[in-house]
């Protein structure tokens, strides 16, 4: 059914571009020959459509602007992407299509991290194919409620660092407001997606390093620290829902935490005690009381808070060097209890 011949392409147009636009040309291991229709498609319950934006400006608190890459939301007719990309939110058991359209200049995929579709829908470009100069539809059916994320899996180390990801939320049949079928429920939702940025990487072309040349992707020296798309080291994230949250005593807050960086993280809840119900989209054997959590790249936690004392609680996530253990940076946001 699929032609795997002639997968190795000659290097053409390497080193072009950089910065906004992500450069042009091909890469040595990008397999774009087999973008015919996904052979197993059935009628979906819901379809998400995503395009590509290789020039998303992100302005930091110090005034510098970093170029991010991301997905556009073609369902809403958006030609511009956002960082993070627009959430995908579905109901447990739905058959979902994600249609990705990429123009001729670059190759990208969508991998629905933590979802387990057939291999032709897994979006791991390195072992199947990348999407370039056309569209491809991924089909998947989430079976477990919780917090996931989707990201590009072409030249993954670079493209994920460049911001090509968005939240993927699976609700139980009850819909938003309920974490798991039959409970627990929540009143307010917060999204804590913690990431680091090495601005040196953000001048590279989309295909940098794919032909074996050393472009330094083994060296990540972050100079910015991000929570859910904003600079997390100043005050930007303090009063920016759905990062910061306000709850009344007696209400329940669900925090959806995603470790979107490469260095390990430790998130501290500022004196609040939460209950972790779900880890990486799977129910924990028993709910766990937590005042802090550690996570590695790609991990997610669903944590419920039911605060009893009014006040302001500062949520802090440390980004920790994977070898030395040094704290490289700390992002902050706030839960206000009234
Ligand atoms: Cu990509």
């Amino acid at each position: 059914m699929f032609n795997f011949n002639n997968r190795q392409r000659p290097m053409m147009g390497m080193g072009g571009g950089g910065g906004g636009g992500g450069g042009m040309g091909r890469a040595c291991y990008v397999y774009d020959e087999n973008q015919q229709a996904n052979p197993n498609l059935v009628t979906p319950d819901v379809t998400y459509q995503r395009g590509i934006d290789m020039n998303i400006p992100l302005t930091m608190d110090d005034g510098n602007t970093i170029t991010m890459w991301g997905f556009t939301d073609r369902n809403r007719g958006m030609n511009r992407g956002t960082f993070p990309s627009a959430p995908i939110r579905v109901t447990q058991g739905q058959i979902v299509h994600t249609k990705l359209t990429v123009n001729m200049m670059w190759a990208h995929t969508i991998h629905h991290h933590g979802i387990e579709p057939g291999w032709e829908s897994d979006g791991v470009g390195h072992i199947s194919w990348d999407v370039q100069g056309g569209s491809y539809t991924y089909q998947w059916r989430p079976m477990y409620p919780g917090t996931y994320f989707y990201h590009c899996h072409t030249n993954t180390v670079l493209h994920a660092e460049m911001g090509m990801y968005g939240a993927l939320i699976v609700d139980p049949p009850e819909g938003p407001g309920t974490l798991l079928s039959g409970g627990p429920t929540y009143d307010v939702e917060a999204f804590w997606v913690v990431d680091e940025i090495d601005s040196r990487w953000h001048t590279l072309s989309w295909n940098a390093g794919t032909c074996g040349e050393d472009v330094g992707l083994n060296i990540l020296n972050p100079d910015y620290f991000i929570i859910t798309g904003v600079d997390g080291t100043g005050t930007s994230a303090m009063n920016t829902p759905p990062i910061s949250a306000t709850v009344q005593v007696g209400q329940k807050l669900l925090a959806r935490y995603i470790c979107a960086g490469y260095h390990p993280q430790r998130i501290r809840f500022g004196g609040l005690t939460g209950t972790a119900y779900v880890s990486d989209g799977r129910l924990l054997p028993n709910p766990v009381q937590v005042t802090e959590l550690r996570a590695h790249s790609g991990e997610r936690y669903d944590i419920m808070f039911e605060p009893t004392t009014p006040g302001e609680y500062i949520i802090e996530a440390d980004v920790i060097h994977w070898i030395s253990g040094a704290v490289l940076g700390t992002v902050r946001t706030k839960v206000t209890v009234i």
Side-chain angles (χ1 to χ4, degrees), residues 107-109 152-154 159 164:
H108 298 282
T109 67
C152 177
H153 224 311
T154 297
H159 288 213
M164 301 196 78

